[in-house]
Amino acid sequence: MRCAVYPGTFDPLTFGHLDIISRGAVLFDQVVVSILHNPSKQPLFSLTERMEQVRWSVRDISNVTVDNFSGLLVDYYRQNGFHCIIRGIRNQADVQNEMQMTQMNESLDSSVQTVFLPTRPDFLFISSTLVKDVALHGGDVHHLVPPHVQDALQNRYDQKRTD
Ligand code: COA
């Protein structure tokens, strides 16, 4: 069974990420969306919230599961016997960054395989930071994130406004 990991911060998951997950699920027997737990960062959503948001969003894709990891991706990859890392590519800047990360990972463990999947044109402009900025200022994000994430963004920013 070919099992791939799609790692990321997912703060929050967007339709761009979901597009990559859906296409990964066609290419591999199993895809594990794994959320980086980085205690030095201050995400908008906790790890538990992000895991729950991703789980809800992939509930109809039978061969996708959700996990989290901390530390080096290559260690997590090896410990779990993955066959491949999936990364999405939106533009030239992503290519440069992803190439650098891929080569770093390969220098740490030459057995690690990575595939880049091009993001659908409709989602090329999306980033989690921009989505949060639009939501913070009361903008409509229904075309950018799943409904569950949209509600979570609205609740979080409503809560912050009343704090
Ligand atoms: N569509 C829309 N947006 C996308 C996207 C897509 N297909 N792919 C990425 N993005 C956006 C995200 O929304 C995010 O936006 P933001 O910067 O505004 O928040 C940005 O691109 C990058 O997000 P993500 O794909 O989640 O990657 P990341 O940079 O947060 O995490 C890891 C990358 C987790 C793979 C990397 O940091 C890692 O492996 N860390 C573990 C430690 C380690 O091993 N370090 C050495 C590795 S070289």
Side-chain angles (χ1 to χ4, degrees), residues 14-41:
T14 69
F15 279 142
H17 294 126
L18 205 50
D19 169 48
I20 300 296
I21 295 168
S22 310
R23 284 182 304 122
V26 173
L27 296 172
F28 293 92
D29 299 313
Q30 186 77 36
V31 173
V32 178
V33 181
S34 198
I35 304 179
L36 176 64
H37 177 49
N38 185 350
S40 65
K41 275 199 178 174

mmCIF file of all heavy atoms in Angstrom, residues 14-41:
data_model
loop_
_atom_site.group_PDB
_atom_site.id
_atom_site.type_symbol
_atom_site.label_atom_id
_atom_site.label_comp_id
_atom_site.label_asym_id
_atom_site.label_seq_id
_atom_site.Cartn_x
_atom_site.Cartn_y
_atom_site.Cartn_z
ATOM 1 N N THR A 14 -7.390 25.613 3.601
ATOM 2 C CA THR A 14 -8.123 26.368 2.568
ATOM 3 C C THR A 14 -8.557 25.411 1.452
ATOM 4 O O THR A 14 -8.139 24.250 1.420
ATOM 5 C CB THR A 14 -7.227 27.455 1.943
ATOM 6 O OG1 THR A 14 -6.207 26.799 1.165
ATOM 7 C CG2 THR A 14 -6.593 28.347 2.998
ATOM 8 N N PHE A 15 -9.336 25.933 0.504
ATOM 9 C CA PHE A 15 -9.715 25.119 -0.657
ATOM 10 C C PHE A 15 -8.478 24.732 -1.475
ATOM 11 O O PHE A 15 -8.481 23.726 -2.170
ATOM 12 C CB PHE A 15 -10.716 25.874 -1.535
ATOM 13 C CG PHE A 15 -12.128 25.801 -1.025
ATOM 14 C CD1 PHE A 15 -12.967 26.900 -1.110
ATOM 15 C CD2 PHE A 15 -12.643 24.636 -0.471
ATOM 16 C CE1 PHE A 15 -14.280 26.846 -0.658
ATOM 17 C CE2 PHE A 15 -13.948 24.560 -0.004
ATOM 18 C CZ PHE A 15 -14.774 25.680 -0.088
ATOM 19 N N GLY A 16 -7.427 25.565 -1.405
ATOM 20 C CA GLY A 16 -6.182 25.211 -2.105
ATOM 21 C C GLY A 16 -5.589 23.938 -1.536
ATOM 22 O O GLY A 16 -5.204 23.022 -2.279
ATOM 23 N N HIS A 17 -5.531 23.851 -0.203
ATOM 24 C CA HIS A 17 -5.026 22.631 0.435
ATOM 25 C C HIS A 17 -5.926 21.438 0.092
ATOM 26 O O HIS A 17 -5.436 20.347 -0.200
ATOM 27 C CB HIS A 17 -5.029 22.783 1.961
ATOM 28 C CG HIS A 17 -4.088 23.815 2.496
ATOM 29 N ND1 HIS A 17 -4.485 24.827 3.334
ATOM 30 C CD2 HIS A 17 -2.755 23.989 2.328
ATOM 31 C CE1 HIS A 17 -3.443 25.571 3.665
ATOM 32 N NE2 HIS A 17 -2.383 25.101 3.057
ATOM 33 N N LEU A 18 -7.246 21.692 0.141
ATOM 34 C CA LEU A 18 -8.199 20.600 -0.085
ATOM 35 C C LEU A 18 -8.069 20.033 -1.502
ATOM 36 O O LEU A 18 -8.201 18.824 -1.720
ATOM 37 C CB LEU A 18 -9.616 21.135 0.162
ATOM 38 C CG LEU A 18 -10.686 20.137 0.549
ATOM 39 C CD1 LEU A 18 -10.265 19.222 1.684
ATOM 40 C CD2 LEU A 18 -11.969 20.892 0.946
ATOM 41 N N ASP A 19 -7.773 20.913 -2.441
ATOM 42 C CA ASP A 19 -7.549 20.488 -3.831
ATOM 43 C C ASP A 19 -6.341 19.535 -3.903
ATOM 44 O O ASP A 19 -6.395 18.485 -4.545
ATOM 45 C CB ASP A 19 -7.327 21.751 -4.676
ATOM 46 C CG ASP A 19 -6.836 21.452 -6.072
ATOM 47 O OD1 ASP A 19 -7.424 20.576 -6.732
ATOM 48 O OD2 ASP A 19 -5.862 22.100 -6.513
ATOM 49 N N ILE A 20 -5.276 19.900 -3.196
ATOM 50 C CA ILE A 20 -4.081 19.056 -3.199
ATOM 51 C C ILE A 20 -4.379 17.712 -2.514
ATOM 52 O O ILE A 20 -3.982 16.642 -3.000
ATOM 53 C CB ILE A 20 -2.901 19.767 -2.466
ATOM 54 C CG1 ILE A 20 -2.549 21.092 -3.159
ATOM 55 C CG2 ILE A 20 -1.676 18.852 -2.362
ATOM 56 C CD1 ILE A 20 -2.027 20.967 -4.566
ATOM 57 N N ILE A 21 -5.122 17.762 -1.417
ATOM 58 C CA ILE A 21 -5.468 16.518 -0.697
ATOM 59 C C ILE A 21 -6.293 15.602 -1.611
ATOM 60 O O ILE A 21 -6.011 14.404 -1.712
ATOM 61 C CB ILE A 21 -6.276 16.837 0.594
ATOM 62 C CG1 ILE A 21 -5.411 17.617 1.581
ATOM 63 C CG2 ILE A 21 -6.805 15.554 1.233
ATOM 64 C CD1 ILE A 21 -6.195 18.233 2.749
ATOM 65 N N SER A 22 -7.284 16.169 -2.289
ATOM 66 C CA SER A 22 -8.164 15.356 -3.150
ATOM 67 C C SER A 22 -7.362 14.689 -4.250
ATOM 68 O O SER A 22 -7.573 13.512 -4.575
ATOM 69 C CB SER A 22 -9.237 16.205 -3.822
ATOM 70 O OG SER A 22 -9.888 16.986 -2.887
ATOM 71 N N ARG A 23 -6.433 15.440 -4.844
ATOM 72 C CA ARG A 23 -5.663 14.851 -5.944
ATOM 73 C C ARG A 23 -4.625 13.857 -5.432
ATOM 74 O O ARG A 23 -4.358 12.851 -6.077
ATOM 75 C CB ARG A 23 -5.081 15.950 -6.824
ATOM 76 C CG ARG A 23 -6.247 16.482 -7.667
ATOM 77 C CD ARG A 23 -5.970 17.534 -8.660
ATOM 78 N NE ARG A 23 -5.348 18.679 -8.108
ATOM 79 C CZ ARG A 23 -4.180 19.123 -8.548
ATOM 80 N NH1 ARG A 23 -3.542 18.462 -9.477
ATOM 81 N NH2 ARG A 23 -3.678 20.229 -8.035
ATOM 82 N N GLY A 24 -4.099 14.116 -4.248
ATOM 83 C CA GLY A 24 -3.189 13.136 -3.632
ATOM 84 C C GLY A 24 -3.911 11.828 -3.366
ATOM 85 O O GLY A 24 -3.353 10.739 -3.534
ATOM 86 N N ALA A 25 -5.183 11.938 -2.971
ATOM 87 C CA ALA A 25 -5.967 10.746 -2.635
ATOM 88 C C ALA A 25 -6.251 9.876 -3.859
ATOM 89 O O ALA A 25 -6.507 8.675 -3.735
ATOM 90 C CB ALA A 25 -7.275 11.159 -1.971
ATOM 91 N N VAL A 26 -6.194 10.486 -5.048
ATOM 92 C CA VAL A 26 -6.366 9.711 -6.287
ATOM 93 C C VAL A 26 -5.053 8.993 -6.630
ATOM 94 O O VAL A 26 -5.048 7.875 -7.144
ATOM 95 C CB VAL A 26 -6.791 10.642 -7.455
ATOM 96 C CG1 VAL A 26 -6.816 9.894 -8.768
ATOM 97 C CG2 VAL A 26 -8.140 11.277 -7.161
ATOM 98 N N LEU A 27 -3.951 9.622 -6.298
ATOM 99 C CA LEU A 27 -2.641 9.093 -6.686
ATOM 100 C C LEU A 27 -2.100 8.032 -5.725
ATOM 101 O O LEU A 27 -1.302 7.180 -6.123
ATOM 102 C CB LEU A 27 -1.616 10.238 -6.769
ATOM 103 C CG LEU A 27 -1.880 11.296 -7.842
ATOM 104 C CD1 LEU A 27 -0.916 12.454 -7.694
ATOM 105 C CD2 LEU A 27 -1.750 10.670 -9.228
ATOM 106 N N PHE A 28 -2.508 8.125 -4.447
ATOM 107 C CA PHE A 28 -1.958 7.216 -3.434
ATOM 108 C C PHE A 28 -3.072 6.393 -2.790
ATOM 109 O O PHE A 28 -4.220 6.818 -2.768
ATOM 110 C CB PHE A 28 -1.197 8.013 -2.351
ATOM 111 C CG PHE A 28 0.045 8.672 -2.890
ATOM 112 C CD1 PHE A 28 0.003 9.971 -3.367
ATOM 113 C CD2 PHE A 28 1.252 7.979 -2.949
ATOM 114 C CE1 PHE A 28 1.145 10.577 -3.878
ATOM 115 C CE2 PHE A 28 2.391 8.579 -3.461
ATOM 116 C CZ PHE A 28 2.343 9.880 -3.935
ATOM 117 N N ASP A 29 -2.696 5.229 -2.224
ATOM 118 C CA ASP A 29 -3.701 4.390 -1.546
ATOM 119 C C ASP A 29 -4.198 5.081 -0.281
ATOM 120 O O ASP A 29 -5.367 4.968 0.080
ATOM 121 C CB ASP A 29 -3.086 3.032 -1.165
ATOM 122 C CG ASP A 29 -2.630 2.280 -2.397
ATOM 123 O OD1 ASP A 29 -3.416 2.218 -3.363
ATOM 124 O OD2 ASP A 29 -1.484 1.788 -2.413
ATOM 125 N N GLN A 30 -3.275 5.768 0.382
ATOM 126 C CA GLN A 30 -3.618 6.428 1.640
ATOM 127 C C GLN A 30 -2.890 7.770 1.713
ATOM 128 O O GLN A 30 -1.701 7.831 1.364
ATOM 129 C CB GLN A 30 -3.148 5.530 2.800
ATOM 130 C CG GLN A 30 -3.551 5.981 4.177
ATOM 131 C CD GLN A 30 -5.018 5.676 4.482
ATOM 132 O OE1 GLN A 30 -5.521 4.648 4.049
ATOM 133 N NE2 GLN A 30 -5.688 6.565 5.169
ATOM 134 N N VAL A 31 -3.586 8.806 2.137
ATOM 135 C CA VAL A 31 -2.931 10.104 2.354
ATOM 136 C C VAL A 31 -3.165 10.509 3.812
ATOM 137 O O VAL A 31 -4.302 10.484 4.299
ATOM 138 C CB VAL A 31 -3.501 11.207 1.425
ATOM 139 C CG1 VAL A 31 -2.925 12.582 1.790
ATOM 140 C CG2 VAL A 31 -3.184 10.886 -0.034
ATOM 141 N N VAL A 32 -2.078 10.844 4.491
ATOM 142 C CA VAL A 32 -2.180 11.341 5.864
ATOM 143 C C VAL A 32 -1.885 12.845 5.836
ATOM 144 O O VAL A 32 -0.780 13.257 5.461
ATOM 145 C CB VAL A 32 -1.185 10.621 6.803
ATOM 146 C CG1 VAL A 32 -1.288 11.192 8.217
ATOM 147 C CG2 VAL A 32 -1.444 9.117 6.810
ATOM 148 N N VAL A 33 -2.888 13.642 6.173
ATOM 149 C CA VAL A 33 -2.675 15.089 6.292
ATOM 150 C C VAL A 33 -2.117 15.298 7.695
ATOM 151 O O VAL A 33 -2.781 14.970 8.685
ATOM 152 C CB VAL A 33 -4.004 15.870 6.142
ATOM 153 C CG1 VAL A 33 -3.753 17.376 6.253
ATOM 154 C CG2 VAL A 33 -4.683 15.519 4.834
ATOM 155 N N SER A 34 -0.895 15.784 7.778
ATOM 156 C CA SER A 34 -0.275 15.875 9.095
ATOM 157 C C SER A 34 0.061 17.316 9.448
ATOM 158 O O SER A 34 0.765 18.009 8.711
ATOM 159 C CB SER A 34 0.961 14.981 9.162
ATOM 160 O OG SER A 34 1.270 14.772 10.516
ATOM 161 N N ILE A 35 -0.458 17.739 10.590
ATOM 162 C CA ILE A 35 -0.357 19.140 10.992
ATOM 163 C C ILE A 35 0.857 19.321 11.888
ATOM 164 O O ILE A 35 1.016 18.611 12.885
ATOM 165 C CB ILE A 35 -1.645 19.578 11.703
ATOM 166 C CG1 ILE A 35 -2.846 19.308 10.777
ATOM 167 C CG2 ILE A 35 -1.572 21.041 12.112
ATOM 168 C CD1 ILE A 35 -4.186 19.667 11.356
ATOM 169 N N LEU A 36 1.695 20.265 11.491
ATOM 170 C CA LEU A 36 2.918 20.533 12.259
ATOM 171 C C LEU A 36 2.563 21.192 13.585
ATOM 172 O O LEU A 36 1.884 22.221 13.620
ATOM 173 C CB LEU A 36 3.852 21.447 11.463
ATOM 174 C CG LEU A 36 5.126 21.886 12.194
ATOM 175 C CD1 LEU A 36 6.028 20.696 12.491
ATOM 176 C CD2 LEU A 36 5.880 22.921 11.370
ATOM 177 N N HIS A 37 3.022 20.569 14.659
ATOM 178 C CA HIS A 37 2.842 21.142 15.997
ATOM 179 C C HIS A 37 4.135 21.871 16.333
ATOM 180 O O HIS A 37 5.157 21.244 16.597
ATOM 181 C CB HIS A 37 2.566 20.015 16.990
ATOM 182 C CG HIS A 37 2.448 20.487 18.398
ATOM 183 N ND1 HIS A 37 1.654 21.543 18.768
ATOM 184 C CD2 HIS A 37 3.037 20.053 19.530
ATOM 185 C CE1 HIS A 37 1.749 21.737 20.063
ATOM 186 N NE2 HIS A 37 2.588 20.852 20.564
ATOM 187 N N ASN A 38 4.063 23.201 16.231
ATOM 188 C CA ASN A 38 5.268 24.001 16.447
ATOM 189 C C ASN A 38 5.036 24.944 17.636
ATOM 190 O O ASN A 38 4.438 26.003 17.488
ATOM 191 C CB ASN A 38 5.564 24.794 15.163
ATOM 192 C CG ASN A 38 6.860 25.563 15.267
ATOM 193 O OD1 ASN A 38 7.447 25.650 16.352
ATOM 194 N ND2 ASN A 38 7.312 26.127 14.162
ATOM 195 N N PRO A 39 5.490 24.530 18.830
ATOM 196 C CA PRO A 39 5.192 25.315 20.039
ATOM 197 C C PRO A 39 5.746 26.740 19.991
ATOM 198 O O PRO A 39 5.257 27.608 20.709
ATOM 199 C CB PRO A 39 5.878 24.525 21.162
ATOM 200 C CG PRO A 39 6.189 23.190 20.588
ATOM 201 C CD PRO A 39 6.318 23.357 19.108
ATOM 202 N N SER A 40 6.712 27.007 19.110
ATOM 203 C CA SER A 40 7.277 28.359 19.065
ATOM 204 C C SER A 40 6.420 29.312 18.223
ATOM 205 O O SER A 40 6.662 30.513 18.186
ATOM 206 C CB SER A 40 8.711 28.323 18.542
ATOM 207 O OG SER A 40 8.711 27.900 17.218
ATOM 208 N N LYS A 41 5.409 28.772 17.510
ATOM 209 C CA LYS A 41 4.536 29.634 16.703
ATOM 210 C C LYS A 41 3.219 29.868 17.431
ATOM 211 O O LYS A 41 2.804 29.062 18.245
ATOM 212 C CB LYS A 41 4.264 28.976 15.349
ATOM 213 C CG LYS A 41 5.340 29.269 14.327
ATOM 214 C CD LYS A 41 4.816 28.998 12.929
ATOM 215 C CE LYS A 41 5.860 29.330 11.882
ATOM 216 N NZ LYS A 41 5.417 28.933 10.541
#
